[in-house]
Amino acid sequence: MEDLFWIGFVGAAIALLFAWLQRSRVMSFSEGNEKMRKIAASIREGANAYLKHQYTTVFKVFLVVFILLLIIAFGSGGKMLSQFTPFAFLTGGIWSMLAGFIGMKIATNSNARTAQAASESLNKGLRVAFSAGSVMGFTVVGLGLLDISVWFMLLRFVFKLDAANITSAMLTFGMGASSMALFARVGGGIFTKAADVGADLVGKVEAGIPEDDPRNPAVIADNVGDNVGDVAGMGADLYESYVGSIISA
């Protein structure tokens, strides 16, 4: 049965190809009028700025953990930890980050397109939104299957490891994905709630303008938080849960 691992590569390729086709379909729709495009561009700019800062911070944490795992694994000659463990931890975090990042990119590009499509018909708006959501869904599945399949192929057929060492390395791969998901979900959640409360207080209470009025800069920050927390964070979280369940089995 273990010789059938190549099915994972096939599934990953199909999932990623479908995600790319869905992205192309979503991007073909109109982003609306000039005001809609301007607001969408501001949200994209804010989301990119936030993720750049977050990933820079997470990189430092991962680097410290990676070095510690290297010391333990190679210092003990592989007795305490498999020498593949540090690299599994690192790649798990990177791929989890990538899943969330791709989801955030399609979300910030599809928001205005969904609004414009919904103004034409409810059915069209739903189709655009569902297609955009499926991009991250199939990206998570595709990347997860690809990474697990690559690791299993390398450990089992290239380095000829036994089941115990394969298990050790791939469990740490899941831990790396979980660590990235933790930072993405918590950081994005704090950001969006802080912006949400701030926008309500300043906008409705002090300035007397409607809730979610784009004239309030905090509303843009709130929308940025929704994308980086509920989309990028959830993408990393879904990736962690998906690969973790496969590895545990």
Side-chain angles (χ1 to χ4, degrees), residues 165-225:
N165 284 315
I166 291 176
T167 303
S168 174
M170 296 192 73
L171 282 175
T172 316
F173 163 77
M175 288 175 60
S178 298
S179 299
M180 182 64 235
L182 173 66
F183 281 101
R185 287 290 283 165
V186 174
I190 292 172
F191 181 91
T192 188
K193 285 299 111 182
D196 189 13
V197 173
D200 289 344
L201 289 175
V202 174
K204 293 192 293 183
V205 178
E206 294 185 13
I209 58 179
E211 184 178 4
D212 295 338
D213 192 308
R215 291 175 295 174
N216 183 356
V219 168
I220 301 298
D222 182 21
N223 281 273
V224 169

Side-chain angles (χ1 to χ4, degrees), residues 65-222:
V65 176
F66 176 68
I67 293 173
L68 288 174
L69 291 175
L70 275 179
I71 294 172
I72 296 171
F74 286 87
S76 64
K79 294 180 180 178
M80 293 181 66
L81 280 178
S82 168
Q83 294 178 344
F84 296 96
T85 295
F87 304 99
F89 177 84
L90 195 62
T91 56
I94 291 173
W95 287 73
S96 179
M97 175 202 73
L98 186 61
F101 180 76
I102 292 174
M104 188 277 296
K105 294 294 286 185
I106 187 61
T108 53
N109 279 295
S110 64
N111 292 335
R113 288 177 168 85
T114 300
Q116 174 61 28
S119 69
E120 299 173 18
S121 74
L122 180 61
N123 182 55
K124 187 175 181 181
L126 178 62
R127 287 181 178 276
V128 175
F130 195 82
S131 296
S134 69
V135 173
M136 187 178 77
F138 278 88
T139 297
V140 166
V141 171
L143 292 179
L145 284 176
L146 179 63
D147 208 9
I148 290 174
S149 299
V150 168
W151 266 105
F152 182 79
M153 181 189 71
L154 290 175
L155 296 176
R156 178 68 181 85
F157 298 102
V158 177
F159 296 104
K160 307 292 184 180
L161 297 187
D162 57 21
N165 284 315
I166 291 176
T167 303
S168 174
M170 296 192 73
L171 282 175
T172 316
F173 163 77
M175 288 175 60
S178 298
S179 299
M180 182 64 235
L182 173 66
F183 281 101
R185 287 290 283 165
V186 174
I190 292 172
F191 181 91
T192 188
K193 285 299 111 182
D196 189 13
V197 173
D200 289 344
L201 289 175
V202 174
K204 293 192 293 183
V205 178
E206 294 185 13
I209 58 179
E211 184 178 4
D212 295 338
D213 192 308
R215 291 175 295 174
N216 183 356
V219 168
I220 301 298
D222 182 21

Side-chain angles (χ1 to χ4, degrees), residues 37-71:
R37 291 194 298 270
K38 182 180 179 180
I39 294 173
S42 297
I43 295 172
R44 274 195 298 271
E45 183 181 358
N48 289 328
Y50 172 85
L51 285 185
K52 180 180 179 181
H53 187 73
Q54 183 187 63
Y55 291 156
T56 301
T57 304
V58 173
F59 170 76
K60 297 174 184 176
V61 176
F62 266 74
L63 184 61
V64 171
V65 176
F66 176 68
I67 293 173
L68 288 174
L69 291 175
L70 275 179
I71 294 172

